Amino acid sequence: MYAELSNKIKEMLELKSSPIAISFSNKAPEGIEQMKGEARLCQMLDKARFEEKSFYTTSDNHECDGGACNCGLRELSERMKTGAFLFKDLGLFGSKRAARRFISSNPRIEFGTVKVISFSPLEKTKFEPDVVILICNAKQGMRIAEASAYESGKKTTGLTGPPICSAVVVAPFLTGEVVYSLGDSGARKSMKVKDEDIFVGIPAELLPDIVENLGKVKFA
């Protein structure tokens, strides 16, 4: 099923890399190995789409606290909760107040409810995904938006502030909605992405209808 969906969406959109399947669980999926070493969650997306690797991760594999905390593997530190880390250490905000607002408003999975995050190219996945990530250009993203609205007329959502681990990995899982992101500076620095690339998170249960609708929409 997922191999067929992946091949169809890659062909219809002329994608240059595979959609990425992600699952959240408390046990490792059967048939895949744990990733060796540490990496940022955004780098794990590249590992799946470019190296065509299927793997699972635990908290120990996650180099970035942001990804691990947003996905429920770790609890936010006090310096993160108060905004001190993003304000003083990274200089991403002009005050602790602004950094604290940012942190508190980001979509986040409750700590302790996830112990394992698994990644795979969609066509090779051996687990049932919760979210499918596309890294594509704006025109390809537009076609996904139109296909997702074909039957329902519902508009898609964009989250331009949170990092992609929150915006396109966590938010679609929590809301059941397609979510777009322009990316964040950390992900764009760490990943092999082009300036024109955007990020799209799709709840896995919506993907079959979206792929079917890609063949129905009369694109202008």
Side-chain angles (χ1 to χ4, degrees):
M1 172 185 176
Y2 294 116
E4 182 180 1
L5 286 174
S6 182
N7 291 334
K8 283 184 177 180
I9 199 168
K10 286 165 70 175
E11 180 181 353
M12 289 177 177
L13 296 181
E14 299 181 347
L15 293 175
K16 302 301 183 184
S17 62
S18 292
I20 306 149
I22 297 178
S23 77
F24 302 100
S25 62
N26 287 318
K27 293 176 62 177
E30 295 183 3
I32 65 172
E33 297 182 354
Q34 184 171 2
M35 188 190 86
K36 294 180 174 61
E38 293 182 341
R40 298 168 64 95
L41 186 143
C42 50
Q43 293 171 324
M44 295 172 184
L45 301 180
D46 270 357
K47 187 177 181 68
R49 71 186 183 119
F50 288 129
E51 299 179 28
E52 299 184 349
K53 300 287 188 182
S54 299
F55 55 92
Y56 73 87
T57 64
T58 65
S59 177
D60 292 339
N61 296 119
H62 286 257
E63 180 182 328
C64 175
D65 274 344
C69 291
N70 286 328
C71 292
L73 293 175
R74 294 181 197 152
E75 194 166 15
L76 286 174
S77 68
E78 286 303 310
R79 287 185 65 77
M80 188 72 81
K81 290 178 182 178
T82 62
F85 177 72
L86 295 182
F87 166 54
K88 289 188 176 181
D89 298 353
L90 297 186
L92 292 177
F93 294 91
S95 67
K96 285 175 63 177
R97 178 176 60 250
R100 187 166 187 162
R101 286 175 183 155
F102 174 81
I103 285 295
S104 64
S105 64
N106 286 350
R108 185 176 299 112
I109 296 174
E110 184 179 356
F111 168 65
T113 61
V114 172
K115 293 183 172 60
V116 174
I117 307 174
S118 303
F119 301 79
S120 177
L122 182 61
E123 63 270 19
K124 292 186 175 182
T125 186
K126 295 181 179 179
F127 54 80
E128 182 176 349
D130 292 306
V131 177
V132 175
I133 309 296
L134 299 185
I135 299 172
C136 59
N137 62 38
K139 182 178 180 180
Q140 293 163 333
M142 175 204 72
R143 294 191 64 190
I144 288 290
E146 293 188 355
S148 67
Y150 183 75
E151 298 289 350
S152 68
K154 293 176 64 176
K155 297 178 177 64
T156 52
T157 299
L159 288 177
T160 57
I164 63 169
C165 51
S166 176
V168 297
V169 178
V170 172
F173 175 67
L174 294 179
T175 66
E177 303 286 347
V178 177
V179 181
Y180 285 70
S181 173
L182 300 177
D184 61 277
S185 58
R188 287 193 174 276
K189 182 179 179 180
S190 302
M191 297 178 69
K192 298 174 183 177
V193 293
K194 300 175 182 177
D195 288 349
E196 62 267 27
D197 284 340
I198 64 170
F199 303 81
V200 185
I202 303 173
E205 68 271 21
L206 301 185
L207 190 63
D209 286 343
I210 288 174
V211 172
E212 182 178 353
N213 291 339
L214 279 170
K216 297 179 180 178
V217 176
K218 304 297 183 183
F219 296 104

